Amino acid sequence: VIDIGLPEHSKVTTCAYCGVGCSFKAEMRGEEVVRMVPWKDGKANRGHSCVKGRFAWGYATHRDRILNPMIREKITDPWREVSWEEAFAHTARELRRIQHQYGREAIGGITSSRCTNEETYLVQKLVRAGFRNNNVDTCARVCHSPTGYGLGQAFGTSAGTQDFDSVEDTDVMIVIGANPTDGHPVFASRMKKRLRQGARLIVIDPRRIDLVRTPHVEAAHHLPLKPGTNVAVLTAMAHVIVTEGLCDERFIRERCDWSEFEDWAAFVAEERHGPEATAAYTGVDAEALRQAARLFATGGNGAIYYGLGVTEHSQGSTAVMALANLAMATGNIGRRGVGVNPLRGQNNVQGSCDMGSFPHELPGYRHISGDETRQIFEKLWGVELDSEPGLRIPNMLDAAVHGNFRGLYVQGEDILQSDPDTKHVAAGLAAMECVIVHDLFLNETANYAHVFLPGSTFLEKDGTFTNAERRINRVRKVMSPKNGYADWEVTLKLAEALGLDWSYRHPSEIMDEIAATTPSFAGVNYAMLDQKGSVQWPCNASVPDGTPIMHIDGFVRGRGKFIRTEYVATDEKTGPRFPLLLTTGRILSQYNVGAQTRRTANSTWHAEDRLEVHPHDAEQRGIRDGELVKLASRSGATALRARITDRVATGVVYTTFHHPDTQANVITTDYTDWATNCPEYKVTAVQVSPANGP
Ligand code: SF4
């Protein structure tokens, strides 16, 4: 029994890991957290949590945290601790020097999906009003940017359509490219509860995830597709629904553009899109696919849940649009129990996109070229804004190597470890003259930094996170920032050093500005959040209590848009040298690149990443279970231990990417989604061999 002592006081706040957004009561003794208790009134979790959230406070007090600002002239120099004042003055001087020398476009910033809405808003404001360009991007670039594009095209807004409660009325679930049991455990429990009550499940995934067969739950269909063929499989399902007359014609006539539907229906009805024609390259049995499509179209309320296995492909945006097509064709939009629901990986990836983190969009997904929108911000911020979209992250790195891009402010993202093609990222960072890393720990990107600004944890600040169901949850400060400043204050001080006149005294004032400039947030303020607990956007005068379910009477864009989804095979091909396909995912106890979870009590669980290899492929290569193997691709090579399992199909290998030693992104390619540049993390041609072999 561990004596944790009695808590003296507590505050309700929000987990800073995944997009479920669980509410916790942080129980404190003085400034010390003694435990995190799942909050029974939390609307996203209703008193439940997973192991990550329960121990999340561990990293806040970890000895690895950097608490003092540091600067250095060259990245080969040792770090020198300086005062905050010197750090801000030095950084501002360097950024202005670079702009003077190389031009206004020579610097940019990256917002973090781990930080609050208010902090994200400030970073994009700093770039637009302080740097005077639109070179701002977000770590959502590498995960759900195709969701933003695809759902925006089909429905008119870049967000999941439902609330989590809606699953209670679902009769048929499609889970594609997601592993909720590990990635979104609290919501997975609600899915399983509904499945135990009799809802049917279709899993579309190269790997046999836990949901396929778990106590008292068995998927009606598991379609183990070859990685990279989502669009072909979804279009084949649409083919069955259209050619067998299973479309919801009444819904389509009332809610969608009929002529676009007819065009799309004729396209998917072509024989080349059918299950038999596509089976050879998708690997999905034609009859199983037919039955799954029929079940989704006729089984009652149909809901789609998806994750990065959909978005992180060269056709990520196309696959999101294919999901929207399926939902509209079967009338599964605009009521409880249905919808298209991205399971967001990071706690505030929805919020970081909402807050204008993309180089072409101001807060609220409004294009930067729109004069009226720009004028709202120009009037408030007192500057003229550039109407041209800025650079995305990969373009910033390209411009550093080949052009004049020389300065980057990175808040809360380790781009060297989490972005694709590590060599390209390193080359871009190395070419810059002022890389500012604003983070909790000296991460991999900090190896290329000239300024390190210590970050603060979710326990040390006030603000809001927006979860996967568009729910705006309060984050409450339960302890003083150990580094002296919350992240929003660091950006504020940097802005002041750059000569901007910002006067926020509390994050609530930033939210008031967001509400004043962003129609979907117009009704949001801290007093209301404290009273209601949370609210789902849009929340404004028309919907003062928020919007649990979107597109009830009409789509945000007016009529729903059916879009042709032509399957185009990825350029990443297997061949004699690299005959297997690598795909990646997560485990329950760890979170993304593990910077936080490896510094909590979870660290003893699953202390290394493993490579899952099918027994047949292992035997062919003489690989034994637990043996160290070499994993090589056209991009690079790494080593990790093998786990022999038939969870993966022959020809497919799988690993997690939580540990820096694994260096998964040394392996991945630089192919990206055609619309958004989201990296194709989920398909890499590889070879696996015993590490001590020839
Ligand atoms: Fe909830 Fe996700 Fe945090 Fe787990 S990691 S407690 S599911 S928000």
Side-chain angles (χ1 to χ4, degrees):
V1 176
I2 302 168
D3 178 13
I4 58 170
L6 286 175
E8 294 166 348
H9 57 102
S10 65
K11 270 191 188 171
V12 175
T13 190
T14 304
C15 179
Y17 284 131
C18 87
V20 176
C22 296
S23 298
F24 279 87
K25 191 169 60 155
E27 294 190 340
M28 312 286 298
R29 204 169 38 221
E31 286 264 304
E32 184 194 356
V33 177
V34 291
R35 65 179 176 184
M36 300 277 287
V37 182
W39 181 236
K40 62 179 176 16
D41 293 333
K43 293 202 174 78
N45 59 314
R46 300 181 189 283
H48 297 277
S49 80
C50 81
V51 65
K52 290 189 284 286
R54 277 203 177 245
F55 296 108
W57 49 277
Y59 69 83
T61 52
H62 197 276
R63 62 182 178 281
D64 287 352
R65 270 189 72 181
I66 305 294
L67 300 178
N68 295 309
M70 301 186 296
I71 62 176
R72 57 185 175 183
E73 299 307 316
K74 301 197 293 288
I75 60 172
T76 48
D77 291 344
W79 285 108
R80 182 164 64 86
E81 283 191 4
V82 294
S83 67
W84 275 109
E85 289 68 31
E86 187 176 345
F88 292 132
H90 171 86
T91 307
R93 248 189 338 266
E94 276 296 282
L95 291 175
R96 288 300 186 223
R97 175 189 65 77
I98 288 170
Q99 286 192 301
H100 185 71
Q101 196 171 334
Y102 299 101
R104 204 170 69 180
E105 311 295 330
I107 62 175
I110 299 176
T111 71
S112 174
S113 298
R114 318 304 316 282
C115 289
T116 63
N117 286 316
E118 294 77 0
E119 287 162 346
T120 306
Y121 178 89
L122 283 198
V123 172
Q124 64 87 32
K125 179 174 175 177
L126 177 76
V127 171
R128 296 198 156 103
F131 299 177
R132 303 293 301 278
N133 63 44
N134 290 312
N135 294 335
V136 62
D137 208 356
T138 167
C139 45
R141 172 70 53 213
V142 299
C143 59
H144 268 289
S145 51
T147 289
Y149 182 84
L151 296 186
Q153 292 290 309
F155 303 151
T157 195
S158 305
T161 61
Q162 309 296 119
D163 59 355
F164 290 151
D165 288 354
S166 173
V167 74
E168 291 165 9
D169 289 314
T170 295
D171 300 311
V172 185
M173 288 174 216
I174 290 179
V175 175
I176 174 168
N179 180 8
T181 314
D182 286 294
H184 303 84
V186 168
F187 183 61
S189 298
R190 298 187 71 178
M191 295 171 110
K192 283 186 251 184
K193 182 177 172 193
R194 183 63 191 149
L195 291 166
R196 284 195 295 271
Q197 289 169 344
R200 312 291 303 280
L201 172 66
I202 301 161
V203 171
I204 306 174
D205 200 288
R207 185 167 171 267
R208 197 178 68 239
I209 59 171
D210 278 349
L211 267 189
V212 172
R213 197 172 303 127
T214 195
H216 311 295
V217 171
E218 177 134 12
H221 302 286
H222 173 211
L223 309 183
L225 77 177
K226 186 177 162 193
T229 61
N230 285 329
V231 171
V233 168
L234 295 171
T235 306
M237 289 179 75
H239 172 96
V240 174
I241 291 166
V242 166
T243 57
E244 296 191 7
L246 304 178
C247 289
D248 185 337
E249 190 177 320
R250 186 171 155 203
F251 176 90
I252 298 163
R253 283 192 183 278
E254 283 176 5
R255 302 288 306 278
C256 305
D257 187 299
W258 181 256
S259 66
E260 283 169 352
F261 165 72
E262 286 185 317
D263 175 72
W264 171 80
F267 165 76
V268 299
E270 292 172 25
E271 208 48 48
R272 67 193 176 98
H273 294 310
E276 288 75 18
T278 53
Y281 56 87
T282 63
V284 173
D285 177 75
E287 184 52 27
L289 187 145
R290 273 191 187 279
Q291 288 184 19
R294 287 173 191 148
L295 174 61
F296 185 69
T298 63
N301 285 341
I304 298 168
Y305 295 95
Y306 72 93
L308 303 183
V310 165
T311 56
E312 290 178 341
H313 289 276
S314 56
Q315 283 203 293
S317 293
T318 316
V320 172
M321 293 187 286
L323 292 173
N325 289 337
L326 271 188
M328 289 188 292
T330 52
N332 280 311
I333 285 284
R335 62 179 190 280
R336 273 176 68 93
V338 301
V340 182
N341 306 288
L343 295 172
R344 305 282 188 162
Q346 301 190 81
N347 53 319
N348 200 36
V349 66
Q350 177 71 58
S352 76
C353 300
D354 300 342
M355 291 297 105
S357 295
F358 290 124
H360 65 293
E361 281 175 343
L362 285 158
Y365 303 102
R366 290 163 294 170
H367 203 277
I368 191 77
S369 62
D371 292 344
E372 264 180 47
T373 308
R374 246 187 6 268
Q375 280 161 14
I376 295 169
F377 291 91
E378 287 175 339
K379 200 167 157 203
L380 197 69
W381 295 349
V383 292
E384 194 179 330
L385 297 178
D386 192 338
S387 61
E388 289 293 316
L391 298 173
R392 297 170 174 177
I393 295 171
N395 307 124
M396 294 185 207
L397 296 165
D398 282 344
V401 174
H402 303 294
N404 278 339
F405 193 87
R406 289 290 175 270
L408 184 63
Y409 172 37
V410 191
Q411 185 180 69
E413 190 194 358
D414 189 356
I415 58 172
L416 191 66
Q417 200 181 336
S418 55
D419 283 35
D421 196 353
T422 305
K423 284 184 204 155
H424 178 242
V425 180
L429 291 170
M432 295 186 203
E433 296 177 13
C434 185
V435 175
I436 305 143
V437 167
H438 178 182
D439 218 309
L440 298 172
F441 307 105
L442 270 177
N443 57 25
E444 300 297 308
T445 306
N447 290 329
Y448 291 85
H450 306 82
V451 177
F452 187 89
L453 303 176
S456 52
T457 68
F458 71 112
L459 296 169
E460 297 161 302
K461 54 190 166 190
D462 279 297
T464 54
F465 293 150
T466 306
N467 77 355
E469 50 168 357
R470 293 170 282 103
R471 183 178 299 286
I472 305 162
N473 278 312
R474 273 284 271 120
V475 177
R476 292 188 177 83
K477 180 177 167 182
V478 303
M479 58 168 77
S480 305
K482 293 193 173 302
N483 55 330
Y485 288 125
D487 292 331
W488 67 272
E489 293 173 294
V490 172
T491 309
L492 170 72
K493 296 279 178 193
L494 184 55
E496 286 174 354
L498 284 162
L500 300 172
D501 183 19
W502 289 4
S503 57
Y504 310 106
R505 287 159 302 174
H506 189 268
S508 62
E509 297 175 356
I510 308 171
M511 179 53 81
D512 291 344
E513 184 172 315
I514 295 166
T517 54
T518 310
S520 51
F521 276 66
V524 181
N525 60 64
Y526 277 26
M528 176 261 238
L529 289 174
D530 287 343
Q531 190 223 330
K532 288 184 188 293
S534 61
V535 72
Q536 289 167 274
W537 69 255
C539 172
N540 49 38
S542 316
V543 275
D545 293 326
T547 310
I549 295 171
M550 296 193 78
H551 315 301
I552 289 178
D553 298 319
F555 289 99
V556 170
R557 70 182 303 279
R559 290 194 163 261
K561 184 177 178 64
F562 281 90
I563 299 163
R564 286 177 173 230
T565 53
E566 184 77 61
Y567 168 67
V568 180
T570 171
D571 286 336
E572 177 68 356
K573 310 285 186 211
T574 53
R577 278 183 66 210
F578 302 105
L580 305 172
L581 283 176
L582 169 72
T583 189
T584 58
R586 299 193 220 165
I587 54 171
L588 173 65
S589 61
Q590 298 291 344
Y591 183 77
N592 281 5
V593 296
Q596 280 107 329
T597 41
R598 282 184 289 105
R599 294 178 172 102
T600 67
N602 300 3
S603 58
T604 52
W605 295 26
H606 305 285
E608 62 177 0
D609 295 312
R610 292 272 181 130
L611 184 75
E612 292 187 357
V613 185
H614 189 273
H616 173 74
D617 293 327
E619 191 184 340
Q620 274 193 336
R621 290 162 176 78
I623 294 167
R624 293 185 305 275
D625 193 50
E627 184 181 9
L628 197 64
V629 294
K630 180 179 171 193
L631 175 67
S633 73
R634 295 181 182 92
S635 303
T638 189
L640 65 172
R641 287 185 197 287
R643 176 179 292 129
I644 313 297
T645 172
D646 65 359
R647 267 180 183 259
V648 288
T650 52
V652 176
V653 291
Y654 164 91
T655 187
T656 51
F657 48 83
H658 303 302
H659 296 275
D661 296 346
T662 305
Q663 293 194 302
N665 289 338
V666 168
I667 302 294
T668 51
T669 71
D670 57 2
Y671 296 123
T672 63
D673 173 45
W674 64 272
T676 67
N677 281 137
C678 182
E680 188 166 57
Y681 285 135
K682 300 299 182 188
V683 190
T684 309
V686 294
Q687 180 56 292
V688 181
S689 54
N692 55 6

